Amino acid sequence: MTRVYDDDLEAGFATRAIHAGQRPEPLAGAIMTPVYLTSTYVQDALGENKGYEYARGKNPTREALERNVAALEGGRHGFAFSSGMGCVTAIMMLFKAGDHVVCSENMYGGVFRLFDKILQNFGLTFSWVDTRDPQRIADAMTPKTRLVFVETPSNPLMRITDLRAAADVAHRGGALLLVDNTFSSPYFQRPFQFGADMIYHSTTKYLNGHSDMIGGICVLNDDDLAARLQFNLNSAGTNPGPFDAWLALRGTKTLHLRMPRHDENGRQIAAWLVERLGEDKVIYPGLPSHPQHALAKRQMTGFGGMISVELGTKERANAVLSRCRLFSLAESLGGVESLISHPASMTHASVDPARRAQLGITEGLIRLSCGVEDVSDLLADLEHAFHVV
Ligand SMILES: *Cc1c(COP(=O)(O)O)cnc(C)c1O
């Protein structure tokens, strides 16, 4: 089981980002964690090994990443996975048929698809509610509720869930609170401070930050739950490869340098969009016009680079998307380069149209992931693209 080194929890965020979970390699003292490309480990004798038996269960490169991100979140245990979805799959295997889950109605489309199309077949039951209102969470709780699962800010509508209130409701009902912290990263939001029990990330996004791997990670504090999650990871084989773990670990070393720049660019671009389109068309938690701006300020220390914009029709959305040059048309987010996407036909295509409409994921909605380029160039690109609308 991967537990954070105790001394890693004491250093400042930047020091942890660079050093936590990593020790000089013992053979030559290499400062960088090696990529342990191995499937198995030679044993000294029957029943005697160095703590490693087979690489599905444990890999030292993966463990360095797990300790690193656990230390950034301020948690005791970390488990890295093949993807954010692999991580959610292993987490959901902690539960059994008959258990009930309350989750944010606007959550990542792939998570909704996993629950709706697959896990319901295994007897798990789900209530999707507007978790912006803690009372709705409370109303959905049943004696069988074991998990409250929130995504905040949510993708792509930037809805904010009050983490402290959600934790209180979950705990009063004997359930755990799981938080998808992908959009903020631990640099801007640390859900354990508000009572969360488990945090997960798609490391594909801000934690890696360079758009060159797919991965997921879960951080938690409870020793028994951690042992069960490690068991699921190994049993289901949802582990990452060591090179992907290494790439994510290289990414986290600069998280504290990248996030302020994403945030700065995000704020300037959001302000420009408001001026261009009006504040009711721009969804960014850092804007005073965001209906939950005060709550966002209470539980986040910055707002990052994710902005959604309502353009009214698919034609207008398409006109803007197709004129962007620096913002590349692509799914995903959180990399150093800026991306632009159309949630209804891309990340949320797996959510049926009626449900999308009900949530507000319209055909006219576009989503920007502001990278860390020169903001003047990004604004010039948008100036050109928005000229048509
Ligand atoms: C991308 C994403 C996921 C899924 O992660 P993968 O690494 O793509 O499997 C989950 N939640 C959010 C908020 C995401 O952006």
Side-chain angles (χ1 to χ4, degrees), residues 304-381:
M306 299 304 299
I307 306 172
S308 288
V309 184
E310 178 56 61
L311 288 170
T313 64
K314 187 168 184 176
E315 290 63 42
R316 282 161 66 90
N318 192 32
V320 168
L321 295 169
S322 57
R323 282 170 67 89
C324 283
R325 295 188 190 127
L326 205 44
F327 279 87
S328 301
L329 176 62
E331 296 198 8
S332 200
L333 62 105
V336 289
E337 62 290 302
S338 295
L339 302 179
I340 191 162
S341 71
H342 183 245
S345 66
M346 296 168 77
T347 48
H348 289 68
S350 58
V351 180
D352 86 82
R355 194 182 153 78
R356 277 202 308 264
Q358 180 206 334
L359 289 172
I361 305 173
T362 63
E363 293 293 321
L365 192 78
I366 61 169
R367 192 191 75 183
L368 277 62
S369 171
C370 302
V372 299
E373 300 95 336
D374 292 293
V375 74
S376 53
D377 292 327
L378 295 176
L379 287 170
D381 194 40

Side-chain angles (χ1 to χ4, degrees), residues 41-336:
Y41 306 93
V42 177
Q43 313 206 358
D44 299 328
L46 265 189
E48 277 176 43
N49 59 56
K50 298 182 168 62
Y52 300 90
E53 292 159 40
Y54 186 62
R56 184 183 344 100
K58 264 177 147 190
N59 178 289
T61 314
R62 189 203 313 172
E63 286 178 311
L65 172 67
E66 292 170 337
R67 289 199 169 101
N68 181 263
V69 177
L72 293 181
E73 286 289 5
R76 284 156 62 83
H77 303 281
F79 297 98
F81 294 88
S82 52
S83 65
M85 293 314 306
C87 178
V88 176
T89 300
I91 291 170
M92 295 314 291
M93 287 178 178
L94 295 168
F95 304 98
K96 58 181 193 312
D99 288 349
H100 175 248
V101 181
V102 178
C103 33
S104 299
E105 60 181 2
N106 169 221
M107 55 179 5
Y108 178 73
V111 177
F112 175 76
R113 178 175 56 190
L114 173 71
F115 290 1
D116 183 49
K117 297 282 191 307
I118 300 179
L119 295 185
Q120 289 197 138
N121 298 335
F122 290 81
L124 284 170
T125 60
F126 299 91
S127 298
W128 285 280
V129 304
D130 185 348
T131 56
R132 282 178 297 186
D133 179 0
Q135 189 57 46
R136 300 266 180 102
I137 306 175
D139 292 345
M141 300 283 291
T142 76
K144 299 202 158 171
T145 307
R146 298 285 172 267
L147 183 71
V148 174
F149 182 167
V150 303
E151 185 177 309
T152 180
S154 70
N155 181 6
L157 297 170
M158 315 292 164
R159 292 179 171 181
I160 313 287
T161 296
D162 183 330
L163 290 171
R164 170 72 63 198
D168 288 348
V169 172
H171 296 159
R172 245 184 283 132
L176 299 167
L177 177 67
L178 167 65
V179 179
D180 184 334
N181 202 26
T182 301
F183 263 38
S184 292
S185 91
Y187 187 78
F188 284 137
Q189 176 170 273
R190 289 205 276 289
F192 288 141
Q193 293 174 346
F194 304 101
D197 300 288
M198 289 188 275
I199 298 168
Y200 94 94
H201 289 269
S202 166
T203 50
T204 316
K205 317 293 168 55
Y206 284 114
L207 286 176
N208 168 271
H210 294 76
S211 310
D212 52 14
M213 50 74 74
I214 296 276
I217 200 155
C218 179
V219 181
L220 69 174
N221 286 308
D222 184 86
D223 294 345
D224 292 336
L225 209 56
R228 288 173 54 210
L229 190 60
Q230 163 72 38
F231 182 84
N232 289 2
L233 187 164
N234 185 39
S235 302
T238 47
N239 55 293
F243 190 57
D244 285 341
W246 187 89
L247 285 168
L249 187 61
R250 162 176 267 206
T252 58
K253 287 179 193 293
T254 55
L255 184 68
H256 60 292
L257 300 176
R258 291 182 280 111
M259 291 313 289
R261 183 62 175 263
H262 284 292
D263 184 63
E264 201 180 297
N265 286 359
R267 287 179 202 232
Q268 288 198 45
I269 290 168
W272 180 87
L273 287 162
V274 165
E275 216 166 279
R276 186 77 175 67
L277 302 167
E279 59 182 25
D280 57 325
K281 301 288 190 288
V282 187
I283 317 175
Y284 182 68
L287 287 171
S289 56
H290 187 286
Q292 296 175 290
H293 180 61
L295 171 60
K297 272 204 304 203
R298 272 209 307 281
Q299 64 186 25
M300 299 161 72
T301 53
F303 310 103
M306 299 304 299
I307 306 172
S308 288
V309 184
E310 178 56 61
L311 288 170
T313 64
K314 187 168 184 176
E315 290 63 42
R316 282 161 66 90
N318 192 32
V320 168
L321 295 169
S322 57
R323 282 170 67 89
C324 283
R325 295 188 190 127
L326 205 44
F327 279 87
S328 301
L329 176 62
E331 296 198 8
S332 200
L333 62 105
V336 289

